[in-house]
């Protein structure tokens, strides 16, 4: 590469809670929440998932969410580079 350019990098880190449910059809359904609080306890996640199921808060193409399968906290790193 030739010419003058200024490289600015910006690192962003985002955490997601990914909750997996089983629906009436028997398929797994993932629900992702962005910007979760630090240090979530498994009991809090389980309670939240139970509430989502009990209130029929979400509906999938395979029917209602009927069972907890699992949960993960996913960390996504994004390195933004300015060009031009």
């Amino acid at each position: 590469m030739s010419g003058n350019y200024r490289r600015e990098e910006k690192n962003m880190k985002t955490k997601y809670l990914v909750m997996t449910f089983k629906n009436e059809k028997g398929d797994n359904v993932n629900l992702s929440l962005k910007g979760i609080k630090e240090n979530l306890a498994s009991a809090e996640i389980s309670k939240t998932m139970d509430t989502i199921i009990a209130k029929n808060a979400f509906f999938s193409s395979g029917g209602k969410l009927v069972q907890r399968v699992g949960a993960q906290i996913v960390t996504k790193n994004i390195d933004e580079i300015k060009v031009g």
Side-chain angles (χ1 to χ4, degrees):
M1 291 176 104
S2 63
N4 293 331
Y5 68 94
R6 194 171 90 189
R7 182 176 168 185
E8 294 179 30
E9 292 187 26
K10 184 178 177 184
N11 184 293
M12 295 180 288
K13 188 184 224 181
T14 305
K15 287 190 175 188
Y16 296 85
L17 172 62
V18 181
M19 298 175 286
T20 305
F21 298 87
K22 188 81 65 185
N23 66 15
E24 291 175 309
K25 188 178 171 186
D27 296 330
N28 283 348
V29 177
N30 289 325
L31 241 168
S32 298
L33 299 176
K34 180 180 175 183
I36 60 173
K37 71 178 187 176
E38 292 291 325
N39 304 318
L40 272 176
S42 60
E44 291 176 290
I45 296 168
S46 293
K47 184 177 177 182
T48 299
M49 292 176 79
D50 289 342
T51 301
I52 289 169
I53 292 167
K55 301 281 185 181
N56 291 321
F58 296 94
F59 193 80
S60 71
S61 59
K64 297 178 196 174
L65 305 180
V66 295
Q67 180 184 349
R68 284 185 277 135
V69 174
Q72 299 176 335
I73 293 177
V74 177
T75 303
K76 183 176 181 181
N77 287 310
I78 302 170
D79 293 324
E80 186 177 304
I81 300 172
K82 286 197 171 205
V83 295

